[in-house]
Structure formats: structure tokens, C-alpha cells
Coordinates of all heavy atoms in Angstrom, one line a residue:
L8 N 14.3 -12.0 -18.4 CA 14.0 -10.8 -17.6 C 14.1 -9.6 -18.5 O 15.0 -8.8 -18.5 CB 14.9 -10.7 -16.4 CG 14.6 -9.5 -15.5 CD1 13.1 -9.4 -15.1 CD2 15.5 -9.5 -14.3
I9 N 13.0 -9.4 -19.3 CA 12.8 -8.2 -20.1 C 11.4 -7.6 -19.7 O 10.6 -8.3 -19.1 CB 12.9 -8.4 -21.6 CG1 11.9 -9.5 -22.0 CG2 14.3 -8.9 -22.0 CD1 11.8 -9.6 -23.6
A10 N 11.2 -6.4 -20.1 CA 10.0 -5.7 -19.7 C 8.7 -6.5 -20.2 O 7.8 -6.7 -19.4 CB 9.9 -4.3 -20.3
K11 N 8.7 -7.0 -21.4 CA 7.5 -7.7 -21.9 C 7.2 -9.0 -21.1 O 6.1 -9.2 -20.8 CB 7.7 -8.1 -23.4 CG 6.5 -8.7 -24.1 CD 6.8 -8.9 -25.5 CE 5.5 -9.5 -26.2 NZ 5.1 -10.8 -25.7
S12 N 8.2 -9.8 -20.8 CA 8.0 -11.0 -20.1 C 7.5 -10.8 -18.7 O 6.7 -11.5 -18.2 CB 9.2 -11.9 -20.2 OG 10.3 -11.3 -19.5
L13 N 8.1 -9.8 -18.0 CA 7.7 -9.5 -16.7 C 6.3 -8.9 -16.6 O 5.5 -9.2 -15.7 CB 8.8 -8.6 -16.0 CG 8.5 -8.2 -14.5 CD1 8.5 -9.5 -13.7 CD2 9.6 -7.3 -14.0
A14 N 6.0 -8.0 -17.6 CA 4.7 -7.4 -17.7 C 3.6 -8.5 -17.8 O 2.5 -8.3 -17.4 CB 4.6 -6.4 -18.8
E15 N 3.9 -9.6 -18.5 CA 2.9 -10.6 -18.8 C 2.9 -11.7 -17.7 O 2.1 -12.6 -17.8 CB 3.2 -11.3 -20.1 CG 3.0 -10.3 -21.3 CD 3.5 -10.9 -22.6 OE1 4.1 -12.0 -22.6 OE2 3.2 -10.3 -23.7
S16 N 3.7 -11.5 -16.6 CA 3.8 -12.5 -15.6 C 2.8 -12.3 -14.5 O 2.4 -11.2 -14.2 CB 5.2 -12.5 -15.0 OG 6.2 -12.9 -16.0
D17 N 2.3 -13.4 -13.9 CA 1.5 -13.3 -12.7 C 2.3 -12.8 -11.5 O 3.3 -13.4 -11.2 CB 0.9 -14.7 -12.4 CG -0.2 -14.6 -11.4 OD1 0.1 -14.2 -10.3 OD2 -1.3 -15.1 -11.6
P18 N 1.8 -11.8 -10.8 CA 2.5 -11.3 -9.7 C 2.8 -12.4 -8.6 O 3.8 -12.3 -7.9 CB 1.6 -10.2 -9.1 CG 0.8 -9.7 -10.3 CD 0.6 -11.0 -11.1
S19 N 1.9 -13.4 -8.5 CA 2.2 -14.4 -7.5 C 3.4 -15.2 -7.9 O 4.2 -15.7 -7.0 CB 0.9 -15.3 -7.3 OG 0.6 -15.9 -8.5
L20 N 3.5 -15.5 -9.2 CA 4.7 -16.2 -9.6 C 6.0 -15.4 -9.4 O 7.0 -15.9 -8.9 CB 4.6 -16.6 -11.1 CG 5.9 -17.1 -11.8 CD1 6.3 -18.4 -11.2 CD2 5.7 -17.2 -13.3
V21 N 5.9 -14.1 -9.7 CA 7.0 -13.2 -9.5 C 7.4 -13.2 -8.0 O 8.6 -13.2 -7.7 CB 6.7 -11.8 -10.1 CG1 7.8 -10.8 -9.7 CG2 6.5 -11.9 -11.6
E22 N 6.4 -13.1 -7.2 CA 6.6 -13.1 -5.7 C 7.4 -14.3 -5.3 O 8.4 -14.2 -4.5 CB 5.3 -13.0 -5.0 CG 5.5 -12.9 -3.5 CD 4.2 -12.7 -2.7 OE1 3.2 -12.5 -3.3 OE2 4.2 -12.9 -1.5
S23 N 7.0 -15.5 -5.8 CA 7.7 -16.7 -5.4 C 9.1 -16.7 -5.9 O 10.0 -17.3 -5.3 CB 7.0 -17.9 -6.0 OG 7.1 -18.0 -7.4
L24 N 9.4 -16.0 -7.0 CA 10.8 -16.0 -7.6 C 11.7 -15.1 -6.8 O 12.9 -15.3 -6.7 CB 10.7 -15.6 -9.1 CG 10.1 -16.7 -10.0 CD1 10.0 -16.1 -11.4 CD2 11.0 -17.9 -10.0
I25 N 11.1 -14.0 -6.3 CA 12.0 -13.0 -5.7 C 12.2 -13.2 -4.2 O 13.1 -12.6 -3.6 CB 11.5 -11.5 -5.9 CG1 10.2 -11.3 -5.2 CG2 11.4 -11.3 -7.4 CD1 9.7 -9.8 -5.2
R26 N 11.4 -14.1 -3.6 CA 11.6 -14.4 -2.1 C 13.0 -15.0 -1.9 O 13.4 -15.8 -2.8 CB 10.5 -15.3 -1.6 CG 9.1 -14.6 -1.4 CD 8.1 -15.5 -0.7 NE 6.9 -14.9 -0.6 CZ 6.6 -14.0 0.4 NH1 7.5 -13.7 1.3 NH2 5.4 -13.4 0.5
P27 N 13.7 -14.7 -0.9 CA 13.3 -14.0 0.4 C 13.6 -12.5 0.4 O 13.9 -11.9 1.5 CB 14.1 -14.7 1.4 CG 15.4 -14.9 0.7 CD 15.0 -15.3 -0.7
V28 N 13.5 -11.8 -0.7 CA 13.6 -10.3 -0.7 C 12.6 -9.7 0.2 O 11.4 -10.2 0.3 CB 13.3 -9.8 -2.2 CG1 13.0 -8.3 -2.2 CG2 14.5 -10.1 -3.1
R29 N 13.0 -8.7 1.0 CA 12.0 -8.1 2.0 C 10.8 -7.5 1.2 O 11.0 -6.9 0.2 CB 12.7 -7.1 2.8 CG 13.8 -7.6 3.7 CD 13.3 -8.4 4.9 NE 12.3 -7.6 5.7 CZ 12.6 -6.8 6.6 NH1 13.9 -6.6 7.0 NH2 11.7 -6.2 7.3
F30 N 9.7 -7.6 1.8 CA 8.4 -7.0 1.3 C 8.2 -7.6 -0.1 O 7.8 -6.8 -1.1 CB 8.5 -5.5 1.3 CG 8.9 -4.9 2.6 CD1 10.1 -4.3 2.8 CD2 8.1 -5.1 3.7 CE1 10.5 -3.8 4.0 CE2 8.4 -4.6 5.0 CZ 9.7 -3.9 5.1
A31 N 8.4 -8.9 -0.3 CA 8.3 -9.5 -1.6 C 6.9 -9.3 -2.2 O 6.8 -9.1 -3.5 CB 8.6 -11.0 -1.5
H32 N 5.8 -9.3 -1.4 CA 4.5 -9.2 -2.0 C 4.3 -7.8 -2.6 O 3.8 -7.7 -3.8 CB 3.5 -9.4 -0.9 CG 2.0 -9.4 -1.4 ND1 1.5 -10.4 -2.1 CD2 1.1 -8.4 -1.3 CE1 0.2 -10.0 -2.4 NE2 0.0 -8.8 -1.9
T33 N 4.7 -6.8 -1.9 CA 4.5 -5.5 -2.5 C 5.5 -5.2 -3.7 O 5.1 -4.7 -4.7 CB 4.8 -4.4 -1.4 OG1 3.9 -4.6 -0.3 CG2 4.7 -3.0 -1.9
K34 N 6.7 -5.7 -3.5 CA 7.7 -5.4 -4.6 C 7.3 -6.2 -5.8 O 7.6 -5.7 -6.9 CB 9.1 -5.8 -4.1 CG 9.6 -4.8 -3.0 CD 11.0 -5.3 -2.5 CE 11.6 -4.3 -1.5 NZ 12.9 -4.7 -1.0
S35 N 6.8 -7.4 -5.7 CA 6.4 -8.1 -6.9 C 5.4 -7.4 -7.7 O 5.4 -7.3 -8.9 CB 5.9 -9.5 -6.5 OG 4.8 -9.5 -5.7
A36 N 4.4 -6.9 -7.0 CA 3.3 -6.1 -7.7 C 3.9 -4.9 -8.3 O 3.5 -4.5 -9.5 CB 2.2 -5.7 -6.7
N37 N 4.8 -4.2 -7.6 CA 5.4 -3.0 -8.2 C 6.2 -3.2 -9.4 O 6.2 -2.4 -10.4 CB 6.3 -2.3 -7.1 CG 5.4 -1.6 -6.0 OD1 4.2 -1.4 -6.1 ND2 6.1 -1.2 -4.9
I38 N 7.0 -4.3 -9.4 CA 7.9 -4.5 -10.6 C 7.1 -4.9 -11.8 O 7.5 -4.6 -12.9 CB 9.1 -5.4 -10.3 CG1 8.6 -6.8 -10.0 CG2 10.0 -4.8 -9.2 CD1 9.8 -7.8 -9.8
V39 N 6.0 -5.7 -11.6 CA 5.1 -6.0 -12.7 C 4.5 -4.8 -13.3 O 4.5 -4.6 -14.5 CB 4.1 -7.1 -12.2 CG1 3.0 -7.3 -13.4 CG2 4.7 -8.4 -11.9

């Protein structure tokens, strides 16, 4: 979990990793 690896990640993968965080779809796009 560093900026480069997260920046290169697919938001859909990130979303699957952060669930069940609330508003996971929006937050995954924002953190990428």
C-alpha cells in the first residue's frame, strides 16, 4: 500500500478489497 501501487490498481479491485467500507464504490475511485 504505497502511492505507486494504488495508482496503478484497477478501481474495481480496490473496491473489492475495501468492502464493507461504506460507499466503497465512490471511495475506491477517490483513493485511486
Side-chain angles (χ1 to χ4, degrees):
L8 182 51
I9 59 174
K11 184 176 184 296
S12 62
L13 184 57
E15 294 173 350
S16 297
D17 188 304
S19 62
L20 170 62
V21 174
E22 181 178 349
S23 70
L24 291 173
I25 68 173
R26 286 188 180 278
V28 164
R29 294 290 304 276
F30 310 113
H32 182 73
T33 298
K34 289 178 180 178
S35 61
N37 286 347
I38 65 174
V39 169

